[in-house]
Amino acid sequence: VLVVMDAGPSLFFGTRRRLKSVAAGQLAAAIAWSAVRRGDRIGGFFFANDKHRELRPAGGRRGAMRMIQGLVDWLQPETAGQGESPPLSVALERVRHTVRPGSLVVVISDFFSLDELSNRHISRLRQHNDVIGCQVLDAAEHSLPQGRYPITDGELASVMDTAQAASRERYESMRSRHLSEPRRLFQKHHCGWLVLNTEDDPVDVLGREMRVLVGRPV
């Protein structure tokens, strides 16, 4: 089992209960424990901006604990840095060349960095592996009440006024694309797909969804 973890800047955001990065880390930890309980080995591929880290698969408690420590070290805001992340395809290409055939690859991301080249790499990964995409979302990415919201990317600042029809339409268009395009891409290649909201219990989501996706208890 290989967990591919996106730790780009957009994951360090949350308006309900926890940051997306925390929810993603908790899900990855739950995957690690469920994998070693089934006798599988667990490995990781973490990426953020132009950095990446690979954890070679290992079994048993040692494998799970190494994964968790890796998540603790990696899921820090300073690791993500500032500015725009490189496309997801850069990480997926690296994964393609390192993963062993017959693996279960779980890609955890909010998929803001999804690009057209990702299509080819997901297709290639799926030829010899089971692949599951997990999109991590915050409630604000589903809808926003009308109001004026100060927004920043850490460098530039602006104000978004959702009381204006034009602003609401632009936001709705972005929201619709962000929720539908990653799912369509993964399902096009017969990959599994699940959504984790920051208000969800990651263990409950994993138990409910993975039984359907991989056909065995976790």
Side-chain angles (χ1 to χ4, degrees), residues 180-200:
S180 62
E181 289 180 359
R183 182 185 70 249
R184 277 202 302 266
L185 178 57
F186 275 80
Q187 292 181 341
K188 169 185 174 182
H189 298 294
H190 305 286
C191 300
W193 181 257
L194 62 90
V195 172
L196 174 67
N197 293 292
T198 56
E199 297 173 275
D200 295 336

Side-chain angles (χ1 to χ4, degrees), residues 108-202:
I108 303 177
S109 174
D110 55 14
F111 295 109
F112 274 113
S113 61
L114 192 70
D115 64 326
E116 184 56 36
L117 279 176
S118 299
N119 177 66
R120 183 176 69 181
H121 296 309
I122 292 171
S123 174
R124 296 284 181 83
L125 273 172
R126 184 65 183 90
Q127 288 177 6
H128 303 290
N129 305 278
D130 291 321
V131 179
I132 298 173
C134 176
Q135 187 172 31
V136 185
L137 296 171
D138 181 79
E141 292 167 325
H142 291 284
S143 64
L144 279 179
Q146 292 188 18
R148 289 172 58 84
Y149 298 94
I151 55 176
T152 179
D153 63 358
E155 296 178 356
L156 302 176
S158 184
V159 174
M160 180 171 63
D161 187 353
T162 57
Q164 297 182 1
S167 294
R168 289 199 307 273
E169 289 173 4
R170 286 197 299 270
Y171 189 85
E172 173 60 24
S173 175
M174 181 196 74
R175 182 201 70 82
S176 179
R177 291 195 308 272
H178 182 51
L179 297 184
S180 62
E181 289 180 359
R183 182 185 70 249
R184 277 202 302 266
L185 178 57
F186 275 80
Q187 292 181 341
K188 169 185 174 182
H189 298 294
H190 305 286
C191 300
W193 181 257
L194 62 90
V195 172
L196 174 67
N197 293 292
T198 56
E199 297 173 275
D200 295 336
D201 184 325

Side-chain angles (χ1 to χ4, degrees), residues 14 17 22 29 33 41-42 47 63 71 73 77 116 130 178 213:
R17 192 169 180 181
V22 174
W33 283 117
R41 294 185 300 157
I42 181 72
F47 66 96
L71 292 166
D73 295 341
E116 184 56 36
D130 291 321
H178 182 51
L213 293 172

